[in-house]
């Protein structure tokens, strides 16, 4: 009987002590800068649960900061945030100019942690090859979009087509949802060809917005890494390691308590998971940026 | 060292031939490293009888039929066919089910464990450890007073006939192949050595195993009890040597942990699965192979284990409990733990306790 | 024998035994195509199973033909989009994963190609068979032979990289399935 009481006492102590580990409510706050894709509101909705999850898993407080693409480098330089979530071209720029460290790469779509850029035309347009692009009207994504601008620009240069000289006209749409807009622009005939990210084509097909039979894929770039989490060079290596582990181990079933609801973290962030790539995996994108005379290798 | 009498040599020959034929049947068409695997064969046979719907695991394995009928002939010839039974029937039946669960999670019976090991599959080491620990647990249980009661002799000779007759019926079904018996056209169920050769191998090994009393867990058990004095350890040594030699000769020896056929890397569950098999086997008097042989000798208790194993083979596939190269499924893990709880509970219930003064 | 026939009770039971046994044998021998439809269908389970399998082969080949045609013509991304469309109606079909794995491999998305092959084989072991209508043994074997050494080396030089470990585990799974054995 005495032994049983002793065991029960031990069990009670261990249960009570288990609540004594450090919680995320104490210690410093680390800010994560998230690059806005479409709008600040959308960024908050997508990444707030992920940020909460990271706080719980890593055991430190994280705060999300939505940042416009154009402002990202300046604000990072001012040390407004310790961690970054950007597209892969912005990662290259921050790594080249500010020693950003690679943490993890986002997985989304059929290429996983990688993506590609395509040039599309309407199926009935007669535009089949890159050579057919000469004299045509083309619509690109934003200039810092690796799969909506850089990849296609590079594809054309490699095929001997100068986008600045050989197209009759090219434009970049305004506002949010630029990638969807340019796909619709070709679909409705406003432009002859568009620089469409392979991921957007995939998602819109899956959602039934477009059909695979509507478009001709004139050309497609090699695959390169997708959106990327980075850490400023001063971040504690142990913290970065725990941050990375929390991301890489995330599964579609993981949930977090957000606004009183259990939210699926990955689904909420429109992400399939995270991979730990090597910085050398980004060399393919570096090559594209160099050939297209784009940041961080731009020469005037 | 044991006395080099006739029985010793029968055991050595039985072990050696089991190793040789075990690899040989795989060379002749049975699945890789599964020349002889009682649990896989029972899963296949259960599928052929329609007890599960995995279309890749349906074949009435002639070897199984051969084991039982070979034991019948051998026992009859040696006047050792004695109908007996009546000891803890439901416990034995359920034990048969759990034996198959343990084997299914590990992917193979104790014979296949050694066939895999002798082909270089090092993932079985945890299963081997589990089997040894399980046998040791079983021996501790027997020493602690667990006694399922001896099977009573059945002077009218009826009950011990039914399992051999059932396997005779299976033989007819195998030869006639009526439309309600299913045969895989793909997958491991479709991989088999020529029918008559498999049947002959089964008959030969069944007869020899009946004569020699050779079985894998029995070898481990007797080694714990008698060390090198038991002939069974030499039978096991002969089995291993023959299997390694044949694998080497056939170019089937590929040592390593990765890329092994029909293997997974869930070492803890391999350990627990085989622990369950070893523990149960000692308590009910033999591993799956030995149960088939005893059923052929007229032991209705072993016959019930065999029927339980056949049902277990169906359940393991129908409920998706079996381990695969991808690992052990959740419900397979739960089933192993339930099996271990079953053995522990019955060890308590069947223990003969000395009345305290 | 005499002991079995010692009185009227014994003789009656032996008679019943003989009559029922002979009756059953006669029924089996003379039944031919007789019996009701339900019984016939039960007796032809093997046929039903084989017909269902052949129908499945034909159906899937028809379903995925546009994808295979696009792949053959080199329109790989278009083929992937077509797969997405089919996936909306038939999600989780193993054949789709195998085709996707093959196309992704052609597009150098090796990690995802491996993951798709794994998914396909897990859903249907037919793809890892050496022979058969759906056998993808050769292409999976080539994939494993080519990628396993390089990923083993990368995983060795980056021991803390969980993603490389995941790919390596997937390759080992495929390697194990290619080796055969019981499932």
């Amino acid at each position: 009987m005495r032994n049983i009481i002793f065991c029960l006492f031990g069990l009670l102590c261990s249960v009570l002590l288990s609540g004594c580990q450090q919680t995320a409510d104490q210690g410093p706050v680390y800010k994560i800068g998230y690059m806005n894709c479409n709008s600040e509101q959308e960024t908050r909705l997508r990444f707030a649960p992920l940020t909460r999850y990271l706080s719980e898993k890593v055991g430190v407080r994280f705060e999300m900061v939505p940042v416009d693409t154009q402002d990202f480098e300046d604000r990072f330089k001012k040390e407004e945030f310790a961690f970054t979530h950007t597209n892969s071209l912005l990662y290259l720029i921050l790594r080249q100019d500010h020693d950003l460290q690679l943490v993890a790469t986002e997985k989304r779509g059929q290429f996983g942690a990688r993506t590609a850029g395509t040039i599309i035309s309407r199926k009935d347009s007669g535009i089949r090859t890159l050579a057919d692009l000469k004299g045509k009207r083309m619509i690109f994504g934003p200039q810092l979009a690796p799969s909506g601008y850089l990849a296609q620009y590079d594809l054309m240069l490699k095929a001997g087509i100068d986008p600045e000289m050989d197209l009759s006209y090219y434009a970049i749409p305004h506002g949010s949802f630029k990638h969807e807009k340019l796909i619709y622009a070709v679909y409705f005939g406003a432009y002859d060809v568009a620089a469409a990210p392979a991921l957007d084509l995939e998602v819109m097909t899956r959602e039934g917005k477009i059909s695979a039979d509507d478009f001709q894929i004139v050309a497609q770039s090699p695959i390169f890494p997708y959106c990327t989490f980075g850490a400023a060079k001063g971040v504690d290596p142990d913290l970065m390691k725990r941050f990375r582990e929390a991301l890489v181990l995330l599964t579609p079933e993981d949930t977090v308590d957000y606004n009183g609801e259990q939210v699926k973290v990955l689904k909420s962030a429109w992400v399939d998971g995270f991979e730990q790539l090597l910085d050398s995996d980004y060399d393919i994108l570096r090559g594209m940026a160099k050939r297209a005379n784009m940041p961080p290798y731009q020469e005037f | 060292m044991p006395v080099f009498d006739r029985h010793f040599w029968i055991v050595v020959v039985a072990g050696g031939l089991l190793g040789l034929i075990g690899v040989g049947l795989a060379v002749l068409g049975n699945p890789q490293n599964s020349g002889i695997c009682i649990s896989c064969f029972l899963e296949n046979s259960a599928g052929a009888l329609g007890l599960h719907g995995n279309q890749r695991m349906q074949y009435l394995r002639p070897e199984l039929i051969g084991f039982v009928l070979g034991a019948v002939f051998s026992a009859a010839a040696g006047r050792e066919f004695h109908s007996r039974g009546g000891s803890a029937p439901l416990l034995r039946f359920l034990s048969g089910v759990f034996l198959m669960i343990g084997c299914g999670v590990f992917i193979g019976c104790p014979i296949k464990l050694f066939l895999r090991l002798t082909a270089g599959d090092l993932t079985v080491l945890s299963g081997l450890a589990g089997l040894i620990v399980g046998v040791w647990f079983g021996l501790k249980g027997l020493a602690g007073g667990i006694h399922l009661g001896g099977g009573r002799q059945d002077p009218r000779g009826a009950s011990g006939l039914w399992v051999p007759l059932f396997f005779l019926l299976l033989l007819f079904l195998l030869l006639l192949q009526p439309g309600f018996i299913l045969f895989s056209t793909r997958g491991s169920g479709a991989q088999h050595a020529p029918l008559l050769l498999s049947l002959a191998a089964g008959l030969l090994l069944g007869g020899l195993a009946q004569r020699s009393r050779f079985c894998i867990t029995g070898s481990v058990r007797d080694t714990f009890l008698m060390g090198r004095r038991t002939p069974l350890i030499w039978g096991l040594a002969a089995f291993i040597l023959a299997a390694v030699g044949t694998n080497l000769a056939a170019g089937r020896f590929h040592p390593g942990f990765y890329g092994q056929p029909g293997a997974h890397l869930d070492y803890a569950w391999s350990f627990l699965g085989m622990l369950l098999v070893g523990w149960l086997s000692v308590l009910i008097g033999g591993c799956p192979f030995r149960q088939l042989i005893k059923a052929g000798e007229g032991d209705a208790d072993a016959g019930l284990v065999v029927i339980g194993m056949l049902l277990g083979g169906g359940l393991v596939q129908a409920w998706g409990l079996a381990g695969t190269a991808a690992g052990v499924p959740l419900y397979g893990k739960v089933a192993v733990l339930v099996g271990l709880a079953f053995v522990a509970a019955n060890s308590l219930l069947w223990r003969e306790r000395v009345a305290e003064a | 024998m005499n002991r079995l026939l010692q009185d009227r009770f014994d003789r009656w039971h032996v008679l019943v035994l003989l009559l029922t046994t002979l009756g059953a044998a006669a029924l089996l021998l003379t039944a031919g195509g007789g019996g009701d439809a339900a019984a016939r269908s039960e007796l032809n389970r093997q046929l039903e199973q084989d017909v269902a399998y052949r129908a499945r082969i034909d159906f899937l080949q028809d379903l995925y033909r546009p994808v295979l045609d696009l792949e053959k013509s080199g329109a790989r991304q278009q083929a992937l989009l077509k797969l997405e469309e089919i996936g909306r109606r038939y999600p989780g079909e193993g054949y789709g994963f195998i085709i996707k794995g093959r196309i992704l491999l052609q597009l150098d998305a090796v990690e995802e190609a491996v993951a798709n092959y794994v998914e396909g084989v897990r859903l249907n072991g037919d793809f890892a068979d050496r022979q058969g209508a759906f056998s993808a043994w050769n292409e999976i074997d080539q994939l494993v032979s080519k990628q396993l050494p390089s990923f083993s080396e990368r995983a060795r030089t980056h021991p803390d990289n969980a993603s490389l470990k995941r790919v390596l585990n997937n390759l080992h799974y495929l390697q194990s399935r290619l080796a055969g054995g019981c499932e």
Side-chain angles (χ1 to χ4, degrees):
Chain A
M1 191 62 190
R2 230 159 124 192
N3 285 344
I4 294 172
I5 292 170
F6 185 74
C7 287
L8 284 175
F9 179 72
L11 193 67
L12 185 68
C13 287
S14 59
V15 168
L16 290 175
L17 285 171
S18 66
C20 292
Q21 68 183 68
Q22 191 190 355
T23 67
D25 298 336
Q26 303 153 354
V29 177
Y30 290 88
K31 289 185 179 172
I32 307 173
Y34 289 95
M35 188 190 93
N36 289 328
C37 283
N38 290 308
S39 68
E40 183 177 326
Q41 190 192 13
E42 183 196 89
T43 305
R44 283 192 187 281
L45 279 174
R46 280 179 67 183
F47 293 110
L50 176 63
T51 309
R52 170 72 58 83
Y53 162 84
L54 285 167
S55 295
E56 286 181 7
K57 276 283 164 189
V58 181
V60 299
R61 278 189 293 171
F62 290 111
E63 191 180 302
M64 69 174 301
V65 185
V67 187
D68 280 339
T69 313
Q70 302 87 326
D71 304 336
F72 211 103
E73 189 174 2
D74 282 346
R75 293 180 66 177
F76 182 72
K77 213 186 318 181
K78 290 177 191 160
E79 298 182 356
E80 283 190 33
F81 25 85
F83 290 89
T84 61
H85 177 267
T86 62
N87 68 33
S88 46
L89 181 59
L90 205 41
Y91 160 75
L92 282 193
I93 295 168
L94 298 176
R95 175 153 184 110
Q96 177 78 14
D97 298 341
H98 309 286
D99 295 329
L100 185 75
Q101 304 173 84
L102 176 61
V103 175
T105 312
E106 191 174 308
K107 281 174 72 177
R108 193 171 172 213
Q110 56 211 7
F111 297 118
R114 291 176 173 82
T115 191
T118 69
I119 297 175
I120 58 166
S121 65
R122 262 179 75 110
K123 199 85 168 183
D124 55 5
S125 68
I127 302 169
R128 296 264 177 275
T129 64
L130 283 169
D132 297 336
L133 259 57
K134 288 190 176 173
K136 298 293 187 299
R137 298 166 299 158
M138 182 163 181
I139 184 163
F140 281 95
Q143 271 187 313
L144 280 179
S147 62
Y149 185 94
L150 170 60
Q152 290 85 350
Y153 205 95
D154 179 54
L155 266 176
M156 292 163 76
L157 288 176
K158 280 200 290 189
I161 297 165
D162 184 349
E164 310 294 336
M165 305 296 291
D166 295 334
L167 295 169
S168 72
Y169 171 73
Y170 80 82
I172 293 171
H174 292 288
S176 308
F177 299 101
K178 291 186 176 69
H179 299 309
E180 282 201 11
K181 279 178 183 168
L182 58 87
I183 292 168
Y184 283 129
V186 166
Y187 184 73
F188 289 111
Y191 287 84
D192 301 315
V193 281
L199 178 62
D200 289 78
L201 287 175
E202 178 191 342
V203 171
M204 289 172 76
T205 306
R206 195 182 303 142
E207 290 173 350
K209 291 178 178 170
I210 57 170
S211 164
D213 300 326
D214 293 338
F215 296 97
Q216 172 75 35
I217 293 172
V218 179
Q220 178 161 333
S221 74
I223 56 170
F224 51 84
Y226 189 51
C227 292
T228 302
F229 266 108
K233 65 178 172 186
V235 169
D236 173 23
D238 182 56
L239 174 63
M240 192 175 94
K241 186 167 172 260
R242 282 184 289 141
F243 191 97
R244 176 186 290 139
E245 273 172 6
L247 287 172
V248 173
L249 296 177
L250 245 176
T251 69
E253 282 72 41
D254 286 319
T255 59
V256 70
D257 185 11
Y258 183 69
N259 285 346
E261 281 182 52
Q262 284 298 314
V263 178
K264 285 192 171 172
V265 180
L266 288 177
K267 192 178 174 191
S268 159
W270 307 355
V271 172
D272 297 336
F274 290 92
E275 292 281 6
Q276 187 180 350
L277 296 189
L278 308 177
D279 182 64
S280 56
D281 290 325
Y282 288 72
D283 287 349
I284 191 156
L285 194 65
R286 290 189 173 96
M288 289 180 187
K290 282 175 187 167
R291 285 190 295 272
N293 195 28
M294 291 271 290
Y297 308 107
Q298 201 169 25
E299 288 174 4
F300 297 101
Chain B
M1 289 290 280
V3 180
F4 293 108
D5 58 4
R6 190 162 167 264
H7 179 67
F8 171 86
W9 290 112
I10 290 176
V11 171
V12 170
V13 169
L17 277 177
L18 193 65
L20 177 76
I21 294 175
V23 180
L25 285 172
V27 174
L28 290 168
N30 277 6
Q32 188 86 348
N33 291 1
S34 291
I36 293 172
C37 170
I38 307 303
S39 60
C40 308
F41 289 2
L42 280 162
E43 286 173 30
N44 285 172
S45 300
L49 297 174
L51 297 181
H52 68 71
N54 183 348
Q55 294 182 16
R56 299 170 55 79
M57 292 283 278
Q58 295 168 336
Y59 181 53
L60 265 184
R61 289 280 173 188
E63 296 89 343
L64 278 186
I65 297 168
F67 293 150
V68 175
L69 298 184
V72 172
F73 296 141
S74 169
R79 296 180 185 278
E80 289 180 327
F81 188 93
H82 302 299
S83 180
R84 56 196 187 273
S87 136
L90 200 57
L91 170 72
R92 290 180 190 276
F93 176 75
L94 291 174
S95 296
V97 175
F98 283 115
L99 275 178
M100 291 302 290
I101 288 172
C103 291
V105 162
F106 169 74
I107 316 186
C109 69
I111 293 177
K112 182 168 167 178
L113 185 156
F114 279 96
L115 286 177
R116 282 171 59 183
L117 184 64
T118 54
D121 180 353
L122 301 179
T123 65
V124 302
L125 290 173
S126 62
L128 179 60
L131 185 75
I132 292 170
V133 172
V135 169
W136 187 76
F137 276 13
L139 281 174
K140 284 283 163 192
L142 293 180
I146 299 167
H147 183 51
L148 304 181
R152 291 186 304 276
Q153 286 281 338
D154 175 8
R156 285 176 293 277
S159 56
L161 280 174
W162 290 109
V163 169
L165 283 173
F166 174 66
F167 275 84
L168 195 61
L169 172 69
L170 292 186
L171 178 61
F172 281 116
L173 294 177
L174 174 68
L175 297 174
L176 296 174
Q177 305 203 348
F180 57 88
I181 298 295
L182 302 169
F183 292 90
S184 294
T185 52
R186 59 197 193 281
S188 55
Q191 295 172 14
H192 50 80
L195 190 154
L196 290 178
L197 213 62
S198 304
L199 186 63
L203 286 167
L204 174 66
L205 290 175
L208 273 172
Q210 193 280 324
R211 286 275 110 194
S212 63
R213 273 79 175 158
F214 178 71
C215 89
I216 301 290
T217 48
S219 307
V220 179
R221 178 199 61 201
D222 285 8
T223 307
F224 271 128
L225 293 173
M226 297 192 280
R228 285 184 300 164
R229 284 173 296 140
T230 173
L232 291 183
I233 185 70
W234 301 101
L236 183 61
F239 170 87
I240 293 170
L241 279 176
V244 169
T246 317
N247 271 315
L248 282 169
R252 288 174 172 245
F253 185 75
H254 305 292
F257 284 94
Y258 303 109
Q260 296 291 351
H264 60 71
L265 304 175
D266 281 351
Y267 299 121
W269 293 101
S270 288
F271 178 88
L272 290 173
M274 273 294 128
L275 187 146
L276 175 61
V277 173
W279 195 358
L280 261 178
S281 294
V282 171
L283 295 183
I284 61 173
C287 66
F289 179 60
R290 182 79 189 125
Q291 298 293 335
L292 286 168
I293 302 304
K294 283 166 74 177
E297 291 173 339
D299 186 336
D301 289 336
L304 264 177
V305 178
V306 170
I307 300 300
M309 290 198 296
L310 194 61
L311 176 69
L315 292 183
V316 159
Q317 285 297 322
W319 292 356
L321 308 177
T324 67
V328 179
L330 173 69
Y331 293 116
K333 293 173 182 173
V334 173
V336 165
L337 294 180
V338 171
L340 291 170
F342 168 81
V343 188
N346 279 293
S347 297
L348 292 171
L349 292 169
W350 287 87
R351 187 177 179 203
E352 286 178 348
R353 293 161 202 276
V354 180
E356 283 181 38
Chain C
M1 195 61 176
N2 285 341
R3 249 181 51 197
L4 273 175
L5 297 169
Q6 68 184 19
D7 57 15
R8 185 185 286 181
F9 180 92
D10 283 350
R11 286 192 289 274
W12 164 249
H13 282 85
V14 168
L15 183 67
V16 171
L17 174 68
L18 285 174
L19 285 177
T20 49
T21 310
L22 290 173
L27 273 177
L28 281 174
L29 291 172
T30 57
D36 56 69
R40 275 205 304 276
S41 141
E42 275 304 298
L43 288 173
N44 277 322
R45 278 200 305 176
Q46 179 75 55
L47 179 71
E48 298 293 330
Q49 189 168 297
D50 292 350
V51 167
Y53 180 60
R54 287 303 301 268
R56 182 182 167 79
I57 295 171
D58 289 346
F59 175 72
L60 290 180
Q61 281 173 348
D62 272 356
L63 182 68
Y64 287 102
R65 183 160 297 128
V67 181
L68 297 173
D69 289 345
L70 284 166
E71 184 202 356
K72 219 175 279 174
S73 69
R76 297 183 191 113
Q77 183 60 43
Q78 209 105 27
L80 287 174
L81 294 180
K82 201 76 197 161
L83 271 176
E84 284 297 329
E85 273 186 5
I86 294 171
R88 285 179 66 200
R89 186 163 166 81
Y90 302 105
E93 167 49 48
Y95 194 31
F97 285 106
I98 297 294
I99 299 172
K100 193 170 175 181
R102 187 165 65 228
I103 298 172
L104 287 172
L105 192 61
Q106 291 163 10
L107 291 168
D108 293 329
V110 181
E111 292 95 328
E112 290 307 306
V114 172
N116 275 279
Y117 275 116
V118 166
E119 197 63 34
V121 172
R122 276 190 186 187
L123 285 167
N124 188 347
D126 292 3
F127 301 117
D129 284 350
R130 276 178 190 266
Q131 274 148 6
F134 291 125
S135 171
W137 197 92
N138 283 326
E139 60 188 84
I140 298 176
D141 184 49
Q142 280 173 11
L143 168 77
V144 172
S145 309
K146 192 172 169 198
Q147 301 299 337
L148 193 54
S150 98
F151 275 97
S152 299
E153 178 59 22
R154 287 171 71 185
R156 199 182 56 76
T157 50
H158 298 91
D160 57 345
N161 191 312
S163 298
L164 288 174
K165 257 183 222 159
R166 200 150 45 200
V167 183
L168 200 56
N169 283 344
N170 280 342
L171 284 166
H172 283 142
Y173 169 76
L174 290 175
Q175 191 189 23
S176 182
R177 291 304 302 259
L178 290 174
C182 267
E183 293 153 39

